[in-house]
Amino acid sequence: MDWFSVHLATRAPESRISEAELDVAGDRLMDLLAAHDGVVSAGGGAWSATVSVQAEQARSAADIGGALIEAQAAEVGLPGWPVVRLEAVRQDVLHAENERPTLPALVSAPEAAEILGVSAQRVHELAAANPRFPEAAYELRTGKLWLRDAVVAFGRRWERRPGRPRKVTAPVR
Amino acid sequence: MLSDRPGREVPKDYREVIAYLIDSQGWTYQKPRGGGYPQLRPADPVHPPIKVPKTPSSQRTFSNWLADIRRKGGHWPPARR
């Protein structure tokens, strides 16, 4: 048997419970689920809870955890709103996911130049003229930002031609 | 809305995450009123506030809590530099 993290989320079709009542019921659900590593969020016409359960596989974990959350939620008076999400993740997999940053690493032209071993000006030329150069993830007033992994991947695939690169001419307006 | 700062009412490892979310991602934190639990409000108000355990808990609880933060648009751990 493995440990699984089971998350169940509900959303109100229409809210008939006050925010204060939802908050108090959420606190009581936190108390009840503490023995199951429970975490609760409640407010704004929605509530959700996460617990940890032991099961043979993710499907049965979702059934066990989902039933546990719904039973305890009913006991504290949380509304039986429609379940909009039910997911089970093996706890070690979730732990590994939590270790990875959610924000991707970004680079500006000077950093991209460092990765590719060229000048920052050459990066701008590549971005303008090489169709395989990655699209900028963000274009700010101060310049473009690229996903670091995309620039590294481009560097691996890039077939460099020796000699001075052809000049990129600006379109005539 | 002004945010409270997390103190001794929450375990240390939770405090570190909460402080980061307040300082860099526009989340707000509310200390418990009465006997309830502290709450962490996501920057995007479409997500409901997440309750914070008040006593040191298992690694699984911390993991479940972090996953809920990430599900509601919070970024943790801090991005690589």
Side-chain angles (χ1 to χ4, degrees):
Chain A
M1 297 257 267
D2 288 310
W3 281 100
F4 287 87
S5 170
V6 179
H7 177 76
L8 179 144
T10 71
R11 195 166 292 171
E14 56 189 56
S15 187
R16 290 193 203 97
I17 182 170
S18 74
E19 281 297 298
E21 286 171 317
L22 195 54
D23 184 39
V24 169
D27 281 344
R28 290 183 59 208
L29 186 60
M30 274 291 275
D31 286 337
L32 283 185
L33 295 180
H36 304 280
D37 310 300
V39 174
V40 173
S41 67
W47 65 264
S48 69
T50 311
V51 292
S52 293
V53 296
Q54 280 188 298
E56 291 290 343
Q57 41 140 322
R59 276 175 212 274
S60 46
D63 288 341
I64 296 165
L68 169 72
I69 292 169
E70 285 186 307
Q72 304 285 48
E75 200 172 318
V76 300
L78 275 170
W81 289 331
V83 174
V84 294
R85 183 188 297 261
L86 175 61
E87 56 191 26
V89 188
R90 214 173 63 201
Q91 207 81 43
D92 60 316
V93 173
L94 182 72
H95 184 71
E97 281 174 4
N98 283 346
E99 300 272 296
R100 283 198 296 272
T102 37
L103 281 176
L106 300 170
V107 291
S108 60
E111 290 151 324
E114 228 169 77
I115 292 167
L116 300 173
V118 297
S119 67
Q121 188 191 350
R122 178 76 180 120
V123 169
H124 290 299
E125 287 170 1
L126 285 168
N130 191 319
R132 295 192 176 169
F133 196 84
E135 289 279 327
Y138 294 96
E139 207 163 335
L140 311 176
R141 283 167 74 176
T142 49
K144 293 180 176 179
L145 294 175
W146 291 271
L147 293 176
R148 188 180 197 286
D149 289 347
V151 173
V152 170
F154 170 79
R156 276 198 301 266
R157 290 191 306 260
W158 184 28
E159 291 168 21
R160 297 175 193 232
R161 299 210 176 87
R164 189 180 279 268
R166 259 192 299 167
K167 224 173 184 175
V168 181
T169 49
V172 179
R173 295 186 181 192
Chain B
M1 181 178 143
L2 276 179
S3 177
D4 291 338
R5 301 294 303 181
R8 290 184 176 277
E9 71 282 0
V10 288
K12 195 180 166 207
D13 38 359
Y14 289 81
R15 215 180 301 155
E16 188 191 352
V17 178
I18 295 166
Y20 176 73
L21 291 169
I22 295 170
D23 294 339
S24 73
Q25 291 175 45
W27 287 46
T28 54
Y29 172 73
Q30 190 183 317
K31 287 190 176 188
R33 310 283 189 250
Y37 284 85
Q39 299 199 100
L40 190 56
R41 287 183 183 278
D44 183 347
V46 79
H47 298 296
I50 304 167
K51 297 192 181 290
V52 186
K54 290 186 285 190
T55 50
S57 49
S58 68
Q59 183 58 42
R60 284 191 298 273
T61 308
F62 186 59
S63 216
N64 290 341
W65 183 74
L66 278 184
D68 211 25
I69 285 171
R70 290 160 63 99
R71 209 177 273 123
K72 292 177 169 64
H75 299 290
W76 180 269
R80 291 165 285 176
R81 288 181 193 273

